[in-house]
Every structure is written in structure tokens, then in C-alpha cells.
Amino acid sequence: MGADVHGSEDQEFLALERELSVFLRRARASSGEMARALHPELEPAAYGLLVRLEAAGRQRATELAAYFGVGKATMSRQLRALELLGLVAREPDPADGRAFLVGLTDEGRERFLRVRGARREQYMRKLADWDRGEVAELARLLNQLNQGEE
């Protein structure tokens, strides 16, 4: 009786939930490994900030908080930790002298690129049997899912 309660049209969404749960758990563990490889004191959640800063360039803390869907206090705490580790730096926003832009330091960028390269190699090994079109389609679909969250 259990599976039939939701109807057959829900099976795809139940399967999606199950697979995303496994994927997210593994992604969190992987982010922890990547964070430790980048700097032994780096929190796993902060790795995503470095990904965003490398991709989008310098940004205000409020922009980063909105992008990740977290509060300003949480973002400030994470950025302060990254700054203390020498991975990011703040500088005055030329458009508004009261605000600051946060960006990767040279050391932060070098460490990040090294670790990201190692992560990409892991993906390439794991997906070696996949067609490049399938990899591109997975990236497209994940992007579509992520865009729905904004």
C-alpha cells in the first residue's frame, strides 16, 4: 500500500528526492575534503564561497548572502574566517565608499585553482564512461534546477 498512496505520477519525484539526498550527502563530504585540501582550517561550507568568488569576481557580502540564501550574519562570519586565513580580502567599493567588495587574494586563487583542478580530475575519472553530451546535459539540468532556487 505504501508506494501507491502517492500515485504513480509521484514516483519520479520520490526517485529524484532519493537520488538528490545521496548526491548532496556525498557532495558535502567531498566539499569537506576539498576545503581541508585548500586549507586545514577551512570550513566545508566556505569552499562554495571561493567557487562563487572565483567565477563571479569581487562582490559585496550582501550579494553573496543573497546568492547562497543565507543571512548577512552568517555570510559575515564565513568571510571573516576566510579573511583570517588569507584567502579573501576586502576593499572599498568604488561605487559606494561605505561598502566593501570581497575577492580572492592571490594565495586564495592559487590554492583554489589547484584544489579545483584535483576535483575536476576526480569528476573526469568517475565519469570516464559517460559521453561528453551526457555530462553537458547533467550540467545543464543541474543549472536549470539551481536557477529555480534563485
Side-chain angles (χ1 to χ4, degrees):
M1 178 176 182
D4 294 327
V5 170
H6 298 288
S8 62
E9 69 275 0
D10 287 343
Q11 293 308 305
E12 297 86 357
F13 291 100
L14 293 172
L16 175 63
E17 178 186 24
R18 181 180 58 248
E19 296 304 325
L20 279 176
S21 294
V22 171
F23 178 78
L24 291 172
R25 182 175 292 273
R26 289 178 179 169
R28 281 188 203 104
S30 178
S31 285
E33 292 169 12
M34 294 295 119
R36 284 187 298 280
L38 201 139
H39 193 287
E41 297 175 41
L42 185 64
E43 292 181 31
Y47 183 82
L49 282 170
L50 300 177
V51 171
R52 178 66 180 168
L53 288 171
E54 201 282 324
R58 297 178 308 152
Q59 295 189 330
R60 290 183 181 185
T62 53
E63 293 172 314
L64 289 166
Y67 178 81
F68 287 105
V70 299
K72 289 189 284 186
T74 298
M75 185 55 57
S76 292
R77 181 183 59 76
Q78 290 180 343
L79 289 173
R80 192 168 29 259
L82 288 169
E83 196 171 12
L84 288 172
L85 295 175
L87 302 174
V88 302
R90 298 173 197 241
E91 58 186 62
D93 183 346
D96 181 354
R98 300 168 295 169
F100 287 89
L101 295 175
V102 180
L104 293 173
T105 62
D106 290 341
E107 179 185 355
R109 178 172 275 100
E110 183 275 322
R111 286 177 178 240
F112 172 77
L113 292 175
R114 179 178 39 82
V115 170
R116 185 179 67 181
R119 182 178 237 182
R120 185 177 310 130
E121 300 238 347
Q122 286 178 338
Y123 288 148
M124 291 174 77
R125 280 192 303 275
K126 185 171 185 118
L127 303 175
D129 294 338
W130 287 38
D131 177 272
R132 287 283 177 134
E134 291 173 319
V135 175
E137 181 65 3
L138 176 59
R140 185 191 71 75
L141 290 169
L142 287 172
N143 178 265
Q144 185 176 333
L145 180 64
N146 286 332
Q147 295 303 314
E149 293 294 318
E150 292 179 1

